[in-house]
């Protein structure tokens, strides 16, 4: 069955430091992969997506992610974190079972220290 | 361009009551998805509507139902509310899903509290 694992529940990063959020997936074919961000009390905003082609994808707000098929990973990175990046981050995979739905990881909460 | 909108923002009900949540997709989007984000359970897929038809549903009991109207807006109904139905309900929309997978754009959610 398709699944997504985000092994880190919480991560604390100092402002200005680099960030890497981990995402591993289980999927029978080439997946479509997504990273979403959710600020407190808000909906989800798409940061970036991978469908095919270049395995390094650029997103909004200075984020990037790299698809590594051999490791079944799609880690999210940012070279320099800003205090406004504090939020919850979700990795997702789809479609699932031929249906246009997303399966999400459990999320990683990012805390940014001054 | 307006994003996905949901109403109400908050909804408080008591056990056994019915709740109705509404969603308006981005203009031009024909698919609507509903997800439940409950504490400790993460984001769970509920329902997918496309062109007025239910295309897929997640592992939820039949008391979770919905519909999609001719203008592509959607309604989620939860009957016989239980305490564990308390959650943030997120609606998303996407373009016509024929062909390649289309990214889903999410609304701000409806916070349902069951007392």
């Amino acid at each position: 069955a398709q699944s997504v694992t985000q092994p880190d529940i919480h991560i604390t990063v100092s402002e200005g430091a680099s960030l890497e959020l981990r995402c591993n997936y289980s999927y029978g074919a080439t997946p479509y992969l997504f990273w979403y961000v959710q600020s407190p009390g808000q909906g989800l905003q798409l940061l970036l997506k991978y469908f095919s082609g270049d395995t390094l994808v650029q997103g909004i707000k200075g984020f990037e992610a790299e698809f590594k098929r051999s490791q079944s990973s799609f880690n999210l990175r940012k070279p320099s974190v800003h205090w406004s990046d504090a939020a919850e981050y979700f990795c997702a995979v789809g479609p699932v079972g031929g249906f246009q739905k997303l399966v999400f990881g459990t999320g990683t909460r990012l805390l940014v220290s001054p | 361009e307006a994003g996905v909108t949901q109403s109400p923002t908050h909804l408080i009900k008591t056990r056994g009551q019915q709740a109705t949540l509404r969603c308006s997709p981005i203009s031009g989007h024909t698919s609507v998805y509903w997800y439940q984000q409950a504490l400790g359970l993460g984001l769970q897929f509920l329902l997918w509507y496309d062109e007025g038809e239910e295309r897929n549903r997640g592992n939820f009991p039949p008391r979770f139902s919905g519909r999609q109207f001719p203008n592509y807006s959607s309604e989620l109904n939860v009957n016989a509310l239980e305490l564990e139905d308390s959650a943030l309900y997120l609606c998303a929309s996407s373009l016509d899903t024929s062909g390649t997978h289309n990214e889903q754009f999410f609304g701000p959610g409806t916070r349902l509290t069951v007392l």
Side-chain angles (χ1 to χ4, degrees), chain A residues 20-101:
Chain A
E20 182 168 25
L21 301 182
R22 295 183 290 166
C23 172
N24 293 96
Y25 65 88
S26 173
Y27 197 81
T30 300
Y32 296 142
L33 293 158
F34 306 83
W35 274 100
Y36 284 88
V37 61
Q38 185 179 36
S39 297
Q42 302 295 312
L44 301 176
Q45 181 182 23
L46 180 68
L47 286 175
L48 47 78
K49 60 186 183 288
Y50 172 77
F51 287 171
S52 65
D54 193 348
T55 56
L56 184 63
V57 293
Q58 303 296 321
I60 62 171
K61 303 184 179 185
F63 286 93
E64 67 177 26
E66 187 170 12
F67 170 60
K68 292 186 177 180
R69 185 189 302 276
S70 62
Q71 298 177 20
S72 297
S73 70
F74 187 57
N75 294 348
L76 181 71
R77 300 193 295 249
K78 186 170 185 177
S80 177
V81 168
H82 188 262
W83 64 267
S84 60
D85 293 324
E88 188 144 23
Y89 292 78
F90 293 91
C91 182
V93 65
V96 179
F99 296 106
Q100 297 291 356
K101 64 181 182 185

XYZ file of all heavy atoms in Angstrom, chain A residues 20-101:
657
model
N 16.663 20.657 6.570
C 16.307 19.511 5.742
C 15.234 18.719 6.468
O 15.433 18.279 7.603
C 17.496 18.612 5.437
C 17.109 17.436 4.520
C 18.310 16.691 3.957
O 19.378 16.731 4.575
O 18.159 16.072 2.883
N 14.101 18.548 5.820
C 13.006 17.743 6.348
C 12.924 16.458 5.530
O 12.887 16.499 4.306
C 11.678 18.505 6.264
C 11.614 19.834 7.009
C 10.223 20.454 6.872
C 11.973 19.666 8.470
N 12.839 15.350 6.249
C 12.901 14.056 5.575
C 11.528 13.522 5.207
O 10.547 13.710 5.954
C 13.626 13.049 6.462
C 15.098 13.389 6.698
C 15.779 12.311 7.518
N 15.307 12.302 8.905
C 15.530 11.307 9.749
N 16.166 10.224 9.348
N 15.098 11.384 10.989
N 11.482 12.844 4.077
C 10.256 12.207 3.610
C 10.640 10.932 2.871
O 11.444 10.970 1.932
C 9.480 13.132 2.685
S 8.059 12.344 1.867
N 10.084 9.819 3.296
C 10.253 8.556 2.596
C 8.886 8.039 2.176
O 7.909 8.204 2.897
C 10.955 7.528 3.478
C 12.389 7.925 3.748
O 12.702 8.519 4.781
N 13.272 7.611 2.820
N 8.822 7.409 1.027
C 7.537 6.964 0.522
C 7.606 5.498 0.115
O 8.687 4.953 -0.153
C 7.105 7.824 -0.672
C 8.025 7.672 -1.858
C 7.816 6.675 -2.807
C 9.131 8.494 -2.013
C 8.682 6.507 -3.870
C 10.006 8.336 -3.073
C 9.773 7.344 -3.994
O 10.637 7.174 -5.037
N 6.451 4.900 0.070
C 6.296 3.550 -0.460
C 5.243 3.634 -1.548
O 4.110 4.063 -1.280
C 5.853 2.583 0.642
O 5.543 1.318 0.095
N 5.658 3.253 -2.772
C 4.754 3.447 -3.908
C 5.146 2.466 -4.987
O 6.321 2.227 -5.209
C 4.882 4.888 -4.413
C 3.762 5.360 -5.306
C 2.565 5.804 -4.754
C 3.904 5.389 -6.681
C 1.535 6.266 -5.553
C 2.881 5.846 -7.491
C 1.703 6.287 -6.929
O 0.682 6.737 -7.721
N 4.158 1.893 -5.675
C 4.434 0.837 -6.634
C 5.024 1.300 -7.948
O 5.650 0.531 -8.658
N 4.831 2.529 -8.301
C 5.293 3.038 -9.592
C 5.993 4.368 -9.348
O 6.342 4.696 -8.220
C 4.109 3.199 -10.532
N 6.212 5.115 -10.395
C 6.807 6.430 -10.220
C 5.765 7.345 -9.587
O 4.691 7.547 -10.151
C 7.241 7.023 -11.569
O 8.203 6.141 -12.150
C 7.878 8.385 -11.350
N 6.087 7.862 -8.433
C 5.067 8.655 -7.726
C 5.037 10.106 -8.161
O 5.996 10.619 -8.743
C 5.546 8.556 -6.280
C 7.036 8.511 -6.400
C 7.325 7.740 -7.671
N 3.925 10.734 -7.883
C 3.874 12.184 -7.892
C 4.036 12.595 -6.427
O 3.320 12.101 -5.570
C 2.553 12.687 -8.449
C 2.319 12.331 -9.900
C 1.055 11.985 -10.345
C 3.348 12.360 -10.824
C 0.815 11.675 -11.672
C 3.120 12.045 -12.156
C 1.856 11.696 -12.574
O 1.627 11.378 -13.888
N 4.951 13.487 -6.157
C 5.284 13.850 -4.783
C 5.083 15.328 -4.551
O 5.336 16.154 -5.436
C 6.747 13.472 -4.493
C 7.020 11.974 -4.477
C 8.491 11.702 -4.726
C 6.567 11.363 -3.166
N 4.655 15.646 -3.361
C 4.311 17.029 -3.023
C 4.823 17.358 -1.621
O 4.885 16.500 -0.754
C 2.786 17.223 -3.028
C 2.107 16.795 -4.297
C 1.770 15.469 -4.504
C 1.796 17.717 -5.273
C 1.135 15.062 -5.663
C 1.157 17.329 -6.443
C 0.833 15.991 -6.631
N 5.139 18.607 -1.427
C 5.349 19.163 -0.102
C 4.371 20.318 0.089
O 4.287 21.226 -0.753
C 6.776 19.673 0.084
C 7.758 18.640 0.515
C 8.662 17.974 -0.255
C 7.962 18.157 1.860
N 9.405 17.105 0.505
C 9.009 17.202 1.820
C 7.380 18.456 3.101
C 9.471 16.533 2.937
C 7.843 17.784 4.223
C 8.870 16.843 4.146
N 3.652 20.244 1.224
C 2.729 21.302 1.596
C 3.162 21.883 2.937
O 3.754 21.195 3.764
C 1.305 20.761 1.755
C 0.564 20.464 0.467
C 0.685 19.227 -0.145
C -0.266 21.413 -0.115
C -0.011 18.942 -1.316
C -0.972 21.138 -1.282
C -0.837 19.901 -1.873
O -1.533 19.624 -3.032
N 2.784 23.138 3.175
C 3.045 23.778 4.451
C 1.720 24.254 5.038
O 0.827 24.695 4.300
C 4.041 24.956 4.313
C 3.500 26.048 3.397
C 4.390 25.530 5.681
N 1.599 24.124 6.349
C 0.380 24.549 7.039
C 0.757 25.420 8.230
O 1.390 24.949 9.163
C -0.430 23.341 7.507
C -1.769 23.700 8.126
C -2.556 22.479 8.548
O -1.989 21.493 9.008
N -3.881 22.533 8.387
N 0.354 26.665 8.180
C 0.541 27.558 9.317
C -0.613 27.343 10.294
O -1.677 26.865 9.889
C 0.587 29.015 8.848
O 1.688 29.206 8.001
N -0.431 27.682 11.553
C -1.467 27.416 12.568
C -2.832 27.937 12.164
O -2.979 29.096 11.792
C -0.924 28.139 13.803
C 0.552 28.136 13.620
C 0.779 28.287 12.144
N -3.836 27.058 12.223
C -5.197 27.457 11.911
C -5.474 27.685 10.446
O -6.554 28.163 10.090
N -4.529 27.330 9.597
C -4.684 27.592 8.159
C -4.809 26.296 7.369
O -4.585 25.201 7.894
C -3.466 28.367 7.644
C -3.217 29.675 8.345
C -4.327 30.668 8.103
O -4.763 30.876 6.960
N -4.824 31.283 9.160
N -5.144 26.446 6.099
C -5.163 25.299 5.209
C -3.753 24.976 4.735
O -2.768 25.480 5.285
N -3.650 24.169 3.726
C -2.364 23.740 3.197
C -1.981 24.567 1.980
O -2.810 24.818 1.116
C -2.427 22.270 2.784
C -2.796 21.268 3.868
C -2.901 19.877 3.272
C -1.760 21.288 4.967
N -0.714 24.935 1.943
C -0.193 25.644 0.780
C 0.861 24.777 0.109
O 1.761 24.264 0.781
C 0.423 26.983 1.194
C 0.959 27.797 0.021
C 1.602 29.096 0.451
O 2.050 29.256 1.587
N 1.646 30.055 -0.459
N 0.763 24.628 -1.193
C 1.717 23.805 -1.930
C 3.051 24.540 -2.040
O 3.118 25.671 -2.510
C 1.174 23.497 -3.320
C 2.073 22.632 -4.196
C 2.170 21.211 -3.633
C 1.551 22.580 -5.626
N 4.111 23.866 -1.592
C 5.455 24.428 -1.709
C 6.109 24.032 -3.025
O 6.733 24.860 -3.692
C 6.339 23.931 -0.567
C 6.101 24.521 0.823
C 6.990 23.812 1.836
C 6.357 26.014 0.830
N 5.996 22.753 -3.356
C 6.588 22.265 -4.597
C 6.055 20.882 -4.905
O 5.424 20.246 -4.063
C 8.127 22.238 -4.495
C 8.762 21.624 -3.265
C 8.760 20.114 -3.296
C 10.194 22.140 -3.091
N 6.317 20.449 -6.127
C 5.822 19.145 -6.568
C 6.824 18.513 -7.520
O 7.596 19.199 -8.206
C 4.469 19.284 -7.259
C 4.502 20.183 -8.502
C 3.123 20.389 -9.048
C 3.137 21.227 -10.330
N 3.454 22.650 -10.055
N 6.812 17.183 -7.550
C 7.620 16.433 -8.501
C 6.697 15.497 -9.265
O 5.990 14.668 -8.660
C 8.705 15.615 -7.787
C 9.421 14.687 -8.733
C 10.385 15.164 -9.610
C 9.097 13.328 -8.781
C 11.021 14.317 -10.501
C 9.730 12.486 -9.673
C 10.686 12.982 -10.527
O 11.310 12.140 -11.411
N 6.724 15.620 -10.579
C 5.966 14.721 -11.431
C 6.912 13.844 -12.249
O 6.712 12.639 -12.360
C 5.043 15.497 -12.372
C 3.840 16.104 -11.701
C 3.011 16.980 -12.388
C 3.517 15.814 -10.383
C 1.898 17.543 -11.775
C 2.414 16.381 -9.758
C 1.598 17.252 -10.470
N 7.920 14.446 -12.840
C 8.892 13.712 -13.649
C 10.010 14.684 -14.005
O 9.959 15.867 -13.670
C 8.252 13.166 -14.928
O 7.836 14.225 -15.762
N 11.042 14.138 -14.670
C 12.111 15.000 -15.155
C 13.181 15.261 -14.119
O 13.560 14.373 -13.347
N 13.661 16.485 -14.074
C 14.735 16.878 -13.160
C 14.369 16.501 -11.735
O 13.302 16.864 -11.230
C 14.971 18.384 -13.267
C 16.259 18.821 -12.595
O 16.857 18.002 -11.853
O 16.670 19.977 -12.793
N 15.284 15.784 -11.091
C 14.975 15.275 -9.751
C 15.130 16.336 -8.666
O 14.733 16.111 -7.532
C 15.873 14.076 -9.420
O 17.240 14.472 -9.548
C 15.569 12.909 -10.352
N 15.708 17.463 -8.994
C 15.811 18.567 -8.048
C 14.767 19.604 -8.456
O 14.851 20.173 -9.543
C 17.215 19.173 -8.064
C 17.474 20.292 -7.047
C 17.349 19.755 -5.622
C 18.859 20.895 -7.265
N 13.806 19.811 -7.593
C 12.724 20.737 -7.931
C 12.768 21.961 -7.030
O 13.061 21.849 -5.837
C 11.347 20.049 -7.847
C 11.213 18.995 -8.906
C 11.100 19.437 -6.487
N 12.476 23.074 -7.622
C 12.457 24.326 -6.889
C 11.011 24.703 -6.581
O 10.104 24.462 -7.382
C 13.104 25.437 -7.712
C 14.533 25.156 -8.135
C 15.474 25.044 -6.947
O 15.370 25.779 -5.974
N 16.406 24.083 -7.023
N 10.817 25.273 -5.410
C 9.480 25.672 -5.037
C 9.424 27.127 -4.632
O 10.336 27.894 -4.899
N 8.348 27.444 -3.940
C 8.178 28.814 -3.486
C 8.903 29.021 -2.164
O 9.322 28.055 -1.516
C 6.682 29.161 -3.320
C 6.028 28.268 -2.262
C 5.948 29.049 -4.650
C 4.611 28.679 -1.891
N 9.090 30.260 -1.787
C 9.684 30.651 -0.511
C 11.103 30.128 -0.344
O 11.567 29.960 0.784
C 8.821 30.171 0.670
C 7.390 30.674 0.633
C 6.629 30.235 1.875
C 5.210 30.769 1.841
N 4.465 30.478 3.080
N 11.805 29.846 -1.443
C 13.190 29.421 -1.361
C 13.401 27.952 -1.040
O 14.528 27.533 -0.760
N 12.339 27.160 -1.071
C 12.461 25.733 -0.790
C 12.811 24.944 -2.048
O 12.453 25.330 -3.155
C 11.152 25.190 -0.206
C 10.906 25.584 1.213
C 10.166 26.734 1.515
C 11.415 24.817 2.259
C 9.946 27.104 2.833
C 11.184 25.188 3.586
C 10.452 26.335 3.864
N 13.486 23.831 -1.848
C 13.756 22.883 -2.906
C 13.650 21.474 -2.343
O 13.686 21.282 -1.124
C 15.135 23.098 -3.525
C 16.280 22.787 -2.592
C 17.640 22.940 -3.273
O 17.754 23.717 -4.240
O 18.585 22.258 -2.823
N 13.478 20.511 -3.225
C 13.414 19.116 -2.796
C 14.072 18.262 -3.854
O 14.055 18.589 -5.047
C 11.977 18.674 -2.569
N 14.636 17.157 -3.418
C 15.308 16.244 -4.330
C 14.669 14.870 -4.271
O 14.536 14.271 -3.191
C 16.792 16.136 -4.000
C 17.566 15.321 -5.032
C 19.067 15.397 -4.851
O 19.522 15.902 -3.797
O 19.776 14.944 -5.757
N 14.270 14.380 -5.419
C 13.690 13.039 -5.550
C 14.825 12.048 -5.748
O 15.622 12.166 -6.688
C 12.741 13.001 -6.740
C 12.262 11.620 -7.119
C 11.558 10.849 -6.211
C 12.510 11.092 -8.384
C 11.105 9.579 -6.550
C 12.064 9.830 -8.726
C 11.366 9.068 -7.812
N 14.910 11.073 -4.850
C 15.924 10.016 -4.967
C 15.202 8.686 -5.016
O 14.783 8.147 -3.977
C 16.897 10.074 -3.797
C 17.785 11.308 -3.804
C 18.835 11.236 -2.694
C 19.761 12.451 -2.756
N 20.794 12.414 -1.683
N 15.085 8.143 -6.213
C 14.346 6.899 -6.393
C 15.001 5.761 -5.617
O 14.296 4.952 -5.001
C 14.273 6.542 -7.879
C 13.412 5.313 -8.179
C 13.570 4.911 -9.634
N 13.198 5.995 -10.533
C 11.962 6.241 -10.911
N 10.970 5.503 -10.475
N 11.715 7.238 -11.737
N 16.324 5.697 -5.631
C 17.038 4.581 -4.986
C 16.806 4.555 -3.481
O 16.888 3.504 -2.853
C 18.530 4.685 -5.278
O 19.059 5.887 -4.752
N 16.517 5.718 -2.914
C 16.286 5.798 -1.469
C 14.819 5.999 -1.131
O 14.472 6.141 0.041
C 17.121 6.958 -0.886
C 18.619 6.768 -1.057
C 19.418 7.957 -0.547
O 18.931 8.754 0.255
N 20.653 8.096 -1.010
N 13.976 6.044 -2.147
C 12.539 6.313 -1.941
C 12.348 7.535 -1.050
O 11.575 7.520 -0.087
C 11.842 5.092 -1.310
O 11.912 3.980 -2.169
N 13.085 8.588 -1.386
C 13.030 9.784 -0.549
C 12.726 11.023 -1.376
O 12.977 11.070 -2.589
C 14.343 9.967 0.213
O 15.383 10.320 -0.680
N 12.210 12.003 -0.694
C 11.891 13.296 -1.318
C 12.046 14.341 -0.212
O 11.093 14.870 0.323
C 10.465 13.269 -1.868
C 10.084 14.482 -2.690
C 10.830 14.847 -3.812
C 8.966 15.243 -2.379
C 10.476 15.941 -4.588
C 8.594 16.341 -3.153
C 9.358 16.684 -4.255
N 13.292 14.626 0.130
C 13.586 15.518 1.249
C 13.481 16.982 0.849
O 13.892 17.383 -0.246
C 14.978 15.221 1.806
C 15.055 13.853 2.444
O 14.036 13.201 2.672
N 16.275 13.412 2.723
N 12.970 17.754 1.761
C 12.778 19.197 1.539
C 13.950 19.952 2.168
O 14.338 19.643 3.300
C 11.463 19.647 2.187
C 11.073 21.110 2.037
C 10.653 21.412 0.605
C 9.932 21.450 3.004
N 14.450 20.957 1.460
C 15.602 21.706 1.967
C 15.393 23.203 1.789
O 14.652 23.658 0.897
C 16.885 21.296 1.236
C 17.239 19.826 1.385
C 18.655 19.562 0.914
N 18.829 19.791 -0.514
C 19.053 18.829 -1.398
N 19.088 17.573 -1.007
N 19.229 19.124 -2.671
N 16.071 23.939 2.653
C 16.117 25.391 2.517
C 17.455 25.844 3.066
O 17.832 25.427 4.175
C 14.961 26.082 3.250
C 14.909 27.584 2.997
C 13.639 28.216 3.525
C 13.589 29.691 3.143
N 12.342 30.364 3.568
N 18.203 26.643 2.353
C 19.558 27.004 2.797
C 19.591 27.909 4.019
O 20.529 27.843 4.810
C 20.164 27.701 1.575
C 19.015 28.082 0.710
C 17.900 27.152 1.011
N 18.570 28.754 4.187
C 18.587 29.692 5.308
C 17.146 29.916 5.775
O 16.329 30.482 5.057
C 19.225 31.015 4.874
O 19.197 31.958 5.928
N 16.880 29.469 6.991
C 15.511 29.501 7.507
C 15.190 30.872 8.103
O 16.021 31.489 8.775
C 15.341 28.402 8.569
C 14.053 28.575 9.343
C 15.362 27.036 7.895
N 13.976 31.302 7.868
C 13.473 32.564 8.422
C 12.446 32.244 9.498
O 11.805 31.190 9.455
C 12.847 33.390 7.284
C 12.452 34.780 7.672
N 11.161 35.125 8.009
C 13.188 35.913 7.779
C 11.115 36.406 8.302
N 12.323 36.912 8.174
N 12.259 33.166 10.444
C 11.318 32.895 11.522
C 9.921 32.600 10.987
O 9.157 31.820 11.566
C 11.254 34.074 12.504
C 10.725 35.349 11.915
C 11.446 36.359 11.371
C 9.340 35.725 11.776
N 10.613 37.351 10.910
C 9.328 36.989 11.143
C 8.135 35.122 12.125
C 8.139 37.647 10.868
C 6.948 35.790 11.844
C 6.964 37.047 11.223
N 9.577 33.191 9.836
C 8.247 32.981 9.267
C 8.059 31.584 8.685
O 6.943 31.212 8.291
C 7.968 34.024 8.179
O 8.925 33.921 7.145
N 9.138 30.804 8.616
C 9.018 29.426 8.121
C 8.476 28.465 9.178
O 8.178 27.311 8.871
C 10.384 28.916 7.636
C 10.872 29.665 6.405
O 10.035 30.023 5.553
O 12.107 29.883 6.295
N 8.361 28.929 10.409
C 7.831 28.072 11.464
C 6.401 27.670 11.115
O 5.528 28.526 10.932
C 7.867 28.801 12.797
N 6.173 26.381 10.991
C 4.886 25.848 10.530
C 4.966 24.332 10.566
O 5.969 23.764 10.996
C 4.578 26.328 9.114
N 3.923 23.691 10.079
C 3.957 22.236 9.939
C 4.071 21.902 8.452
O 3.391 22.503 7.613
C 2.708 21.593 10.529
C 2.784 20.084 10.582
C 2.104 19.508 11.821
O 1.240 20.180 12.375
O 2.466 18.366 12.202
N 4.907 20.940 8.162
C 5.205 20.580 6.785
C 4.770 19.138 6.523
O 5.069 18.237 7.308
C 6.703 20.735 6.498
C 7.137 22.183 6.522
C 7.342 22.839 7.729
C 7.299 22.899 5.344
C 7.711 24.182 7.765
C 7.667 24.245 5.365
C 7.861 24.869 6.585
O 8.221 26.207 6.600
N 4.064 18.972 5.421
C 3.533 17.661 5.059
C 4.057 17.231 3.698
O 4.001 17.987 2.728
C 2.002 17.695 5.005
C 1.335 17.906 6.327
C 1.032 19.177 6.765
C 1.032 16.826 7.140
C 0.414 19.385 7.990
C 0.417 17.019 8.365
C 0.111 18.301 8.789
N 4.523 16.006 3.648
C 4.888 15.367 2.398
C 3.706 14.508 1.967
O 3.016 13.920 2.808
C 6.135 14.514 2.632
S 6.777 13.682 1.174
N 3.445 14.437 0.664
C 2.303 13.667 0.183
C 2.656 12.973 -1.124
O 3.513 13.439 -1.896
C 1.083 14.558 -0.008
N 1.972 11.875 -1.381
C 2.155 11.116 -2.617
C 0.796 10.850 -3.252
O -0.208 10.715 -2.568
C 2.889 9.786 -2.338
C 2.042 8.859 -1.458
C 3.275 9.077 -3.621
N 0.736 10.828 -4.552
C -0.489 10.524 -5.269
C -0.195 10.327 -6.737
O 0.929 10.586 -7.182
N -1.137 9.904 -7.564
C -2.453 9.401 -7.154
C -2.323 8.026 -6.506
O -1.268 7.404 -6.578
C -3.208 9.325 -8.473
C -2.150 9.101 -9.495
C -0.947 9.847 -9.007
N -3.378 7.573 -5.891
C -3.347 6.330 -5.144
C -4.416 5.389 -5.686
O -5.586 5.741 -5.741
C -3.581 6.579 -3.640
C -3.572 5.262 -2.868
C -2.520 7.519 -3.092
N -3.986 4.197 -6.079
C -4.941 3.219 -6.569
C -5.678 3.687 -7.793
O -6.810 3.278 -8.036
N -5.047 4.551 -8.579
C -5.703 5.063 -9.776
C -6.657 6.197 -9.497
O -7.281 6.744 -10.419
N -6.785 6.582 -8.246
C -7.691 7.660 -7.883
C -6.904 8.910 -7.518
O -5.843 8.834 -6.916
C -8.579 7.254 -6.709
C -9.487 6.106 -7.036
C -9.227 4.852 -6.525
C -10.582 6.282 -7.859
C -10.055 3.783 -6.829
C -11.418 5.230 -8.163
C -11.151 3.966 -7.655
N -7.477 10.046 -7.865
C -6.797 11.314 -7.657
C -6.921 11.769 -6.214
O -7.555 12.770 -5.921
C -7.374 12.372 -8.612
C -7.166 12.039 -10.066
C -5.701 12.117 -10.486
O -4.854 12.494 -9.717
N -5.417 11.755 -11.712
N -6.320 11.019 -5.314
C -6.287 11.442 -3.923
C -4.852 11.425 -3.457
O -3.989 10.804 -4.067
C -7.136 10.501 -3.068
C -6.622 9.068 -3.008
C -7.544 8.208 -2.170
C -7.026 6.789 -2.064
N -7.965 5.894 -1.339
